[in-house]
Amino acid sequence: MLNDDRDFRRALERASAWVARYFEDVADLPVLSRSRPGEIAARLPAAMPEEGESFDALLDDFESIVLPGITHWNHPRFFAYFAITGSEPGILGELLSAALNVNAMLWRTSPAATEIEETALRWLRRALGIPERFFGVVYDTASVSGLHALAAARESLDLDIRNRGASGRDLPALRVYCTEQTHSHVEKDAILLGIGRENVVKVPTDDAFRMDPRALAQLLGEDRAAGHLPMCVAATIGTTSTTSIDPVPEIARICKEANVWLHVDAAYAGPAAIVPELACLMDGVEHADSLVVNPHKWMFVPVDLSVLYTPHEELLRRAFSLVPAYLETPESDVRNYMDYGVQLGRRFRGLKLWFVLRSYGRRRLIELLRGHVAMAQALAGWIEAEPDFEILAPHPLSVVCFRHVPPRLRNDRAALDAHNAALAERVNSTGFAFISTTRLRGATTLRVAIGNARTSERDVRETWELIAKSAHEG
Ligand SMILES: *Cc1c(COP(=O)(O)O)cnc(C)c1O
């Protein structure tokens, strides 16, 4: 039990010592958990204890049962999906906000939570070159940020779906445009908003996996002619598989002409706009109606924290504001963040973002992100120098997509796919590094994503050497 001050202080000291040691030792742990399905659950008691247990017992089980079932996202050789960082200032922000246990639904339920969120989002907006007129709000994930953006887009159609719903009435099909490279949440959000998967139109992409603006314009025209109602174009800056960058300025022009909401998903790549030579990533964003950036992806903020920026604050509020009597407040000149989304209760996420921005500072963030891009470019160079490997997509940022093509398999697509999938598994089973795979134009692709604050070029080089060596063992 931990309800006495002395016990809690001791437990806190043990926990903080554990966290500090974890960072010292994490590089020696297997990155990908070796746990088999059900193995962790089988070691846990079937029911909760009748009497409370000591924190020492909890921490012992945390080490012996939980830790083997952890895939270490904070490991310097975690290169799968998108590498992220639960940074030291971010962890401390989480700890302190947990202690306060604030529910930041209304300004008055903790003025500091609202005002720090506003301030940190203003800092971030300026650092990324997003126009001042964009209002920001924190949600948990890009998937949920995107959902709110699409809901605001729907509200902008003035069909009064908020009140009358989208069923039991005569409405045209609302259409959303993206590409087959767009993150899957756009389709999920369309499901949830009653738009339906069939009305998510996949615009063709070019050789570099970017949306083809001419095809978009044509599809918009055809849909209008067919009586559909184009609602939103979802462009991506830094797609999930390859980090391709849709031509946002051209797409924005088309959206303006067609009077369609432009949503820009920069969940991963957005933070990189803080690097001066990458500020061009945000080209065209000034024309967006909504923009998503995930500081929990490439800005060292612990999961979760995603930001939606929009120049249409009032529209977003109109889409979601609904104030029951028990939440009315006397203040009229404050922002109540509950008005901007589905959820009422909100965590004090702004604190960890504010801590990260302050603790690193702009200069260090630029150095780290620039370093990640440089490591990815070095890796691409090593891959290119190996005759039996090929790069499968442009790599403008910190992700490289490639595969091993042994001459004997060159003309056998199925065998090449199996060979590369097996290669990834061989690398991952060593525990030394964790890489993931994707499919590009049908081909199984190895994917290395660099983004952890502790990753060094040596980590990347040794992982590449492991991949190259494992390629010849299959
Ligand atoms: C990772 C990613 C997402 C989803 O992020 P969550 O915060 O996990 O929902 C959305 N869009 C892009 C481009 C991504 O890379």
Side-chain angles (χ1 to χ4, degrees):
M1 285 212 288
L2 273 173
N3 42 18
D4 127 341
D5 290 347
R6 245 196 30 230
D7 280 359
F8 180 57
R9 183 177 290 273
R10 232 193 103 249
L12 199 54
E13 281 161 5
R14 261 203 89 187
S16 59
W18 190 92
V19 171
R21 209 180 56 238
Y22 175 66
F23 278 112
E24 289 160 19
D25 296 345
V26 64
D28 299 324
L29 297 172
V31 190
L32 178 64
S33 170
R34 291 166 169 161
S35 182
R36 286 184 303 278
E39 197 178 325
I40 305 294
R43 295 187 61 192
L44 305 174
M48 66 182 281
E50 189 58 31
E51 302 296 336
E53 300 178 63
S54 73
F55 183 68
D56 288 345
L58 271 56
L59 195 58
D60 286 349
D61 283 356
F62 174 77
E63 286 200 309
S64 65
I65 302 176
V66 179
L67 218 55
I70 293 297
T71 292
H72 293 282
W73 289 74
N74 252 336
H75 193 296
R77 290 184 300 277
F78 184 107
F79 297 121
Y81 316 111
F82 281 106
I84 57 174
T85 309
S87 67
E88 295 82 346
I91 291 166
L92 296 169
E94 285 281 27
L95 174 67
L96 297 178
S97 74
L100 298 174
N101 201 29
V102 154
N103 187 334
M105 54 194 192
L106 296 166
W107 176 84
R108 69 157 37 191
T109 59
S110 271
T114 295
E115 294 181 19
I116 284 173
E117 181 166 332
E118 291 173 330
T119 301
L121 295 186
R122 258 201 308 276
W123 288 8
L124 183 66
R125 185 178 65 198
R126 176 160 298 179
L128 302 184
I130 298 163
E132 302 278 311
R133 65 177 193 287
F134 280 54
F135 152 80
V137 50
V138 170
Y139 300 106
D140 51 5
T141 57
S143 306
V144 168
S145 296
L147 173 67
H148 288 86
L150 261 63
R154 196 178 68 172
E155 184 68 18
S156 77
L157 298 173
D158 283 324
L159 295 173
D160 202 24
I161 290 176
R162 178 187 155 112
N163 293 309
R164 298 180 57 207
S167 62
R169 55 189 290 214
D170 198 16
L171 283 178
L174 310 184
R175 306 277 270 183
V176 174
Y177 305 81
C178 60
T179 76
E180 89 283 349
Q181 296 296 319
T182 302
H183 189 272
S184 50
H185 79 275
V186 169
E187 220 160 310
K188 284 199 188 181
D189 294 345
I191 294 170
L192 195 56
L193 290 168
I195 288 160
R197 291 185 72 186
E198 286 179 9
N199 291 309
V200 177
V201 181
K202 302 286 171 70
V203 181
T205 51
D206 65 12
D207 289 347
F209 305 97
R210 298 172 300 200
M211 184 184 286
D212 175 355
R214 284 181 43 199
L216 170 67
Q218 188 178 344
L219 284 163
L220 285 166
E222 288 170 9
D223 274 6
R224 287 256 196 234
H228 300 327
L229 181 52
M231 182 187 100
C232 173
V233 174
T236 308
I237 295 175
T239 57
T240 310
S241 272
T242 73
T243 75
S244 63
I245 298 160
D246 287 335
V248 173
E250 277 180 86
I251 294 169
R253 210 171 315 117
I254 292 164
C255 286
K256 184 146 280 172
E257 256 165 45
N259 193 27
V260 180
W261 185 283
L262 172 59
H263 175 66
V264 176
D265 179 1
Y268 149 73
I274 198 173
V275 182
E277 63 271 25
L278 296 175
C280 54
L281 282 168
M282 288 292 174
D283 284 356
V285 157
E286 65 276 16
H287 303 298
D289 297 292
S290 50
L291 166 71
V292 169
V293 174
N294 269 13
H296 81 206
K297 225 167 209 171
W298 202 7
M299 205 169 247
F300 315 122
V301 175
V303 170
D304 48 16
L305 195 154
S306 172
V307 182
L308 173 65
Y309 284 109
T310 174
H312 309 295
E313 175 177 358
E314 268 318 297
L315 202 54
L316 181 63
R317 229 169 69 93
R318 205 173 82 199
F320 287 104
S321 180
L322 204 162
V323 185
Y326 46 82
L327 292 171
E328 285 169 5
T329 65
E331 298 89 10
S332 56
D333 51 351
V334 296
R335 192 172 269 139
N336 296 314
Y337 270 119
M338 72 163 195
D339 290 338
Y340 300 86
V342 171
Q343 68 179 90
L344 169 63
R346 307 178 77 246
R347 304 181 60 220
F348 183 6
R349 292 195 184 87
L351 187 68
K352 61 184 173 180
L353 174 61
W354 190 57
F355 274 20
V356 166
L357 297 178
R358 288 187 65 188
S359 174
Y360 282 93
R362 208 175 75 90
R363 195 169 59 77
R364 181 68 182 139
L365 289 173
I366 291 171
E367 260 171 30
L368 282 165
L369 268 58
R370 185 182 274 151
H372 290 158
V373 175
M375 286 186 250
Q377 303 315 309
L379 170 64
W382 302 327
I383 295 169
E384 268 162 11
E386 273 305 311
D388 290 355
F389 278 86
E390 65 185 19
I391 301 257
L392 293 176
H395 40 83
L397 298 167
S398 71
V399 173
V400 185
C401 291
F402 60 103
R403 67 175 174 174
H404 183 229
V405 187
R408 68 192 154 86
L409 301 180
R410 183 161 284 281
N411 297 314
D412 187 341
R413 291 187 65 135
L416 265 184
D417 287 348
H419 172 75
N420 280 279
L423 170 53
E425 283 312 291
R426 274 201 302 288
V427 168
N428 294 336
S429 69
T430 63
F432 184 78
F434 180 26
I435 64 173
S436 55
T437 58
T438 186
R439 276 180 170 275
L440 294 177
R441 311 277 188 239
T444 297
T445 304
L446 306 176
R447 192 174 162 288
V448 169
I450 298 163
N452 185 277
R454 289 163 183 267
T455 300
S456 67
E457 183 168 305
R458 182 174 161 196
D459 291 312
V460 179
R461 183 166 38 75
E462 291 180 350
T463 298
W464 162 241
E465 287 164 3
L466 173 65
I467 294 169
K469 182 168 79 69
S470 307
H472 299 290
E473 287 166 359

